[in-house]
Each structure stands twice: as C-alpha cells, then as structure tokens.
Amino acid sequence: MSNLLGPAFIFFVLVIPISLVIHEYSHARTADMLGDRTPRLAGRLTLNPLVHLDPLGLIMMLFAPIGWAKPVPINGGNFKRPRTGLILTAFAGPFSNLVLAVICFTILREWSIPTSSIQDFLHRLVSWGAYINVILFVFNLIPIPPLDGSRIVSNFLPYKQEMAYRKLDVYGPFILLLLFLIPPLNNLLMILFQYVTTLIAAVFGVVLVL
C-alpha cells in the first residue's frame, strides 16, 4: 500500500495504527453500550494498540495492498434487538474512520499555510490522516466478507437470503485480494476512494497535499 523508500511511508506508520485501533475500539464500545459484554470480557474496551493490532495484518497493510486488525468478538444474542445491534456495531467501525476524517478536514480548513518544516510535516500528517480514514471508511463498507459492509447487508436480508449470502464468508478474503491484484478492479477501487475523498474535501473547501 505504501513505498518503503517514499516519504509517505512515515505517515502510514503514524496514521494507520491509530486509525485501526479507534476503528476496533468503536466496534467494542458500541457493542458494550448495546448490552453485549463480550468485548469487555475479551479486554477490547481499551485504546491499547497491543490489544487491537494484529502484527501480520499491520505489516501487510503497511507493505502490501491489504491488511487487517484483530476482529472484536461480538455476540448478537446479547442485544435486545439482535439484528439492529449487529448492524449498529458493524457500522460503528467505519463511522469512526469517517469521524476521524472529518476532524482532519476541519483542522485543515482552519490551518493557515505552513511556514516551517515542522508545520509542513504536521500539515501533511493531518492530510494523510484525512485520506487514509476516508479509504478505511469506504473500504470497510464494501459488502464482501469479512468487511463490516457484509455484516450490515446480511442483517438486512431475510433469513434464506442471509444464509445464501453468508456462503461468501469462505471466499470473501480471496475476492478482496483479487480486487487489489487485478488492475482493472484495482483502478475502479482507487477511483472510488479518490472520488469520495475529493467530494468530502470539496465540502470542507480543502485541497489535500499528500
């Protein structure tokens, strides 16, 4: 996903772990608020990176086209309304990335032109924070297992259709890998990321400098 020899790698190393930790913590906190104590018992109600980050998944995200964090264990049977609880819990992760992106865009909108190397570094760091979190928001809403989007979609479907849809769970990771490895599909994905980023940036009147 990033070039080890390029300056962007520094921003990846700083932004991605924070974004992933907040994403997983949001899943855990939402489930806990809705009545499922499973994440609490698993020790996931924390912002400690060691609890949420998967070393291999993080390395893959930094050096390869795809990666992951440790999934938060959720027991939908503990929710008063299981399907609603599962939908809200699944959406909480991507939504947290959208919130982080909005915070970054808001900072950039109020930021004057950098006048020093330190200010330029921080400005680029916030810009990358906005960009990466938009990507995480959009990517995780793709309805392919094991992404959050698939959990949202499956809980909207009638039972029979849901069972048929869940058969994709076995093939989902391979489908996602193909999305990144096949040039035409990868290009479409990059266009989608860029479009959403540009759209949100336009709302805030910001031009990202990456």
Side-chain angles (χ1 to χ4, degrees):
M1 190 174 183
S2 61
N3 183 352
L4 179 60
L5 299 179
F9 183 76
I10 297 175
F11 300 114
F12 272 80
V13 169
L14 294 174
V15 172
I16 286 180
I18 295 173
S19 303
L20 292 178
V21 167
I22 292 177
H23 178 107
E24 297 303 329
Y25 172 79
S26 298
H27 284 311
R29 175 58 66 182
T30 302
D32 189 72
M33 291 173 60
L34 293 175
D36 180 19
R37 298 296 182 263
T38 306
R40 179 184 293 273
L41 295 174
R44 301 300 293 272
L45 284 181
T46 176
L47 291 173
N48 181 354
L50 298 178
V51 173
H52 296 289
L53 297 178
D54 182 292
L56 178 59
L58 181 60
I59 291 172
M60 291 290 288
M61 184 165 282
L62 292 173
F63 296 98
I66 194 170
W68 59 88
K70 296 177 183 176
V72 175
I74 304 293
N75 185 350
N78 291 327
F79 298 132
K80 290 182 179 179
R81 300 177 63 184
R83 286 202 162 199
T84 300
L86 288 169
I87 290 170
L88 292 175
T89 301
F91 183 68
F95 181 71
S96 71
N97 294 121
L98 177 61
V99 171
L100 288 174
V102 167
I103 291 173
C104 290
F105 278 116
T106 301
I107 293 173
L108 292 171
R109 182 182 62 188
E110 304 300 326
W111 201 321
S112 58
I113 299 175
T115 56
S116 68
S117 57
I118 295 179
Q119 287 186 9
D120 181 67
F121 176 83
L122 293 175
H123 189 274
R124 289 179 179 273
L125 178 63
V126 175
S127 295
W128 275 102
Y131 180 59
I132 288 173
N133 276 285
V134 169
I135 290 178
L136 290 174
F137 168 68
V138 175
F139 177 69
N140 279 286
L141 287 179
I142 295 175
I144 299 175
L147 298 179
D148 298 319
S150 70
R151 305 309 174 203
I152 295 171
V153 170
S154 66
N155 283 286
F156 271 114
L157 296 173
Y159 180 76
K160 288 185 177 180
Q161 285 78 5
E162 179 187 1
M163 291 301 100
Y165 181 68
R166 285 186 177 276
K167 291 180 180 179
L168 284 176
D169 288 357
V170 177
Y171 309 103
F174 300 102
I175 296 173
L176 290 173
L177 190 59
L178 290 177
L179 281 178
F180 283 95
L181 294 180
I182 298 177
L185 297 178
N186 180 266
N187 291 339
L188 287 175
L189 204 57
M190 294 304 109
I191 290 172
L192 175 61
F193 293 155
Q194 191 62 46
Y195 174 78
V196 177
T197 302
T198 302
L199 182 63
I200 298 177
V203 172
F204 285 86
V206 171
V207 176
L208 291 182
V209 179
L210 302 174

